Amino acid sequence: MLFDFSFVIVGIVIAMMWIHNGLPINHRQVLIFGLLLGVAMLVINSWLGFYQRFNSRSVMESRARAVLSLYLAVPVAYGIFALLPLTGVNQEFLQLSAMSAVFGMLVTRVSATHATTTNILTRRILVFGTGARALGVKRALNKSDPSAEILGFFPSPNEEEIAVPDNMVLSRNHSLTDTAITMKADEIVVALTERRGGSMPLRELLDCKLQGIRVLDLASHFEQTLGQIRLESLYAGWLIFGDGFRQGTMRTLVKRIFDVVCALILILLALPVMAVAAVAIVVENGFPILYRQERVGLNGRLFNVIKFRSMRRDAEKDGKPIWAAAQDDRVTKVGKIIRKLRIDELPQLFSVLKGDMSLVGPRPERPFFVDQLTKEIPFYAVRHSVKPGVTGWAQVRYHYGATVEDSAEKLQYDLYYVKNHSLFLDILVLFDTVGVVLTGKGAH
């Protein structure tokens, strides 16, 4: 994303300087134009899925999306051009430079998207273990990481279960180190069901690491590969002694400034949309327009979240909380539209200004469900160590969820965010949210 953003800006500036053959140009206006066009292209490309870590598209499908991106870029560029008071700039050359920069960026993006299919970037993985956890590694990689090649499964002396295909089980006639070197493994994933009683050949794993082969435990492997922290491979010591989970005063300050600035901008841009939504709600189902609901926030503190009302007024007439479902018959006609477009979440921007929420973070849940989920899901309370968000890593990575099992899946993404959250990750989530909204995918 940063490369594409820089490519557009630098491409426009260089083209303008080359066209003018070194003559003075209004660099400030050209730079502003490039910045706005660069942001617009990031939004368009996010929507088209160019920044997804893994994809199953063919080269032709990516080219078709690039052509669509170029078609969308033309009116956007002219719109920005019309709004800016450009003076002292050759306008025809500026337009030509912009389209040249966008075209070059898209050609590079298509090439980079399919670069992982080459042998040069293929990750050769040796899995240590043959049980259910080792099989889970195989299934996860086959589904989510086309750049990974599993060389085989090296059996542990104390692991009796064999859940992986027999033809992929490696011989123990040679040591783990010799096997990894012979097969030219780039990475070893330790996926043992039983880790006690001498199951872990620590000396051999150390020798592999000294030979330049990466050695990862199951939790670290899933974190780096899938952007989630798997509950079945998680234990308290890894959370305590591992990297990440740093809050810090500076990070908190930067996140707060980012939240306030972005929330103000979004509120100003969304005011007309919120006004239309409010009128539509009243016309269909009367007042109230908004509803407040108690949620659990930072450090377990309770606060009231504000949303546009998308359900009937008697949605919970018996007073008992009910999971919201993807096809919920309590949702009004207007509610279906504003839910799909995430318009019902817009009033939460005022909660961001107030400080109860952040733009990006785990979605806040109701106390009734938090009590239930904390009892049933290990480490669920860890997600309350950061402010809840209007959108989040789990919302752009997982489909709509309305069960305890779905909450467990989403928690794995929330734990990844809590462990690794940064300004860059927040920006990435916001751009992914644009794609989720425009395509109607994802979860609340």
Side-chain angles (χ1 to χ4, degrees):
M1 293 175 70
L2 290 175
F3 176 83
D4 287 357
F5 184 66
S6 304
F7 193 107
V8 172
I9 298 172
V10 174
I12 292 174
V13 173
I14 291 177
M16 289 297 294
M17 293 179 68
W18 176 75
I19 289 170
H20 282 260
N21 196 24
L23 296 177
I25 62 173
N26 193 327
H27 291 88
R28 180 174 174 272
Q29 292 187 356
V30 171
L31 185 60
I32 292 174
F33 178 82
L35 288 170
L36 294 176
L37 182 59
V39 171
M41 290 309 303
L42 289 185
V43 173
I44 293 173
N45 287 349
S46 294
W47 171 42
L48 294 174
F50 277 118
Y51 303 125
Q52 293 174 352
R53 188 176 180 184
F54 306 115
N55 67 83
S56 58
R57 296 192 304 269
S58 66
V59 176
M60 290 304 298
E61 288 174 328
S62 291
R63 287 174 180 170
R65 294 188 181 212
V67 171
L68 176 59
S69 179
L70 186 61
Y71 280 135
L72 294 174
V74 172
V76 169
Y78 274 94
I80 297 173
F81 178 82
L83 293 174
L84 289 177
L86 298 172
T87 58
V89 177
N90 189 312
Q91 299 180 0
E92 293 181 358
F93 283 148
L94 180 59
Q95 296 166 5
L96 178 62
S97 301
M99 290 301 98
S100 299
V102 169
F103 179 79
M105 180 268 289
L106 289 172
V107 170
T108 305
R109 177 53 39 216
V110 172
S111 301
T113 298
H114 294 276
T116 55
T117 60
T118 64
N119 292 330
I120 296 176
L121 296 179
T122 298
R123 293 162 50 232
R124 297 171 62 83
I125 297 176
L126 177 63
V127 180
F128 182 44
T130 57
R133 292 190 173 185
L135 181 61
V137 172
K138 181 179 184 298
R139 288 173 174 170
L141 290 178
N142 289 343
K143 179 180 179 181
S144 305
D145 192 352
S147 67
E149 176 188 357
I150 296 182
L151 303 175
F153 299 86
F154 193 88
S156 166
N158 295 342
E159 194 168 42
E160 298 179 357
E161 178 190 15
I162 298 180
V164 299
D166 292 336
N167 64 325
M168 297 189 71
V169 178
L170 303 174
S171 171
R172 286 191 52 83
N173 292 335
H174 300 282
S175 68
L176 174 61
T177 306
D178 291 339
T179 301
I181 293 175
T182 301
M183 302 189 75
K184 298 180 180 179
D186 300 314
E187 183 177 308
I188 296 175
V189 178
V190 179
L192 296 178
T193 305
E194 176 58 61
R195 302 179 62 154
R196 296 173 295 181
S199 297
M200 291 278 285
L202 298 179
R203 179 64 198 184
E204 292 186 46
L205 290 172
L206 177 59
D207 288 340
C208 290
K209 190 169 185 177
L210 293 175
Q211 291 294 325
I213 302 172
R214 297 178 68 209
V215 179
L216 298 175
D217 63 2
L218 207 53
S220 299
H221 166 73
F222 280 119
E223 178 187 2
Q224 296 182 20
T225 302
L226 303 180
Q228 60 178 212
I229 297 176
R230 305 280 285 203
L231 295 177
E232 66 268 19
S233 60
L234 191 59
Y235 52 95
W238 188 84
L239 293 173
I240 296 170
F241 298 111
D243 294 330
F245 295 102
R246 297 188 185 96
Q247 308 300 334
T249 304
M250 182 55 66
R251 167 59 184 150
T252 302
L253 178 62
V254 170
K255 187 174 179 65
R256 181 59 183 155
I257 294 173
F258 178 77
D259 285 343
V260 171
V261 172
C262 291
L264 287 172
I265 295 173
L266 291 173
I267 287 172
L268 290 175
L269 294 175
L271 278 176
V273 177
M274 288 194 284
V276 172
V279 172
I281 291 170
V282 172
V283 170
E284 182 188 16
N285 200 243
F287 290 96
I289 298 171
L290 304 173
Y291 83 94
R292 297 174 180 269
Q293 197 174 71
E294 196 173 55
R295 300 288 178 100
V296 179
L298 179 65
N299 297 323
R301 183 176 61 86
L302 300 180
F303 73 100
N304 286 321
V305 71
I306 306 172
K307 299 174 68 174
F308 279 122
R309 183 169 60 84
S310 58
M311 292 188 177
R312 304 189 310 266
R313 284 171 289 186
D314 61 346
E316 291 182 348
K317 56 186 177 182
D318 58 356
K320 183 179 179 180
I322 302 173
W323 286 104
Q327 303 295 331
D328 201 320
D329 59 4
R330 298 172 297 163
V331 179
T332 63
K333 294 179 180 179
V334 172
K336 291 180 181 178
I337 298 174
I338 64 176
R339 276 189 166 198
K340 184 176 181 179
L341 299 177
R342 304 302 189 267
I343 295 173
D344 61 323
E345 311 283 355
L346 289 177
Q348 294 176 43
L349 293 172
F350 294 99
S351 296
V352 174
L353 293 180
K354 185 180 178 182
D356 289 332
M357 297 180 67
S358 176
L359 275 178
V360 180
R363 289 291 295 143
E365 194 52 81
R366 302 172 69 174
F368 177 86
F369 296 126
V370 168
D371 291 341
Q372 177 186 359
L373 295 170
T374 302
K375 295 175 183 176
E376 298 186 26
I377 303 176
F379 305 108
Y380 186 82
V382 174
R383 71 197 299 275
H384 298 136
S385 62
V386 297
K387 283 185 181 180
V390 178
T391 185
W393 184 241
Q395 275 56 53
V396 299
R397 302 284 289 187
Y398 191 73
H399 60 76
Y400 195 100
T403 64
V404 173
E405 290 74 20
D406 287 330
S407 296
E409 287 291 327
K410 288 161 66 175
L411 174 63
Q412 296 177 140
Y413 292 106
D414 287 335
L415 288 174
Y416 176 88
Y417 177 81
V418 175
K419 184 176 186 292
N420 299 283
H421 72 92
S422 63
L423 180 60
F424 180 79
L425 183 56
D426 285 355
I427 294 173
L428 177 63
V429 170
L430 290 177
F431 274 108
D432 279 349
T433 301
V434 174
V436 168
V437 171
L438 293 175
T439 57
K441 299 178 181 179
H444 275 359

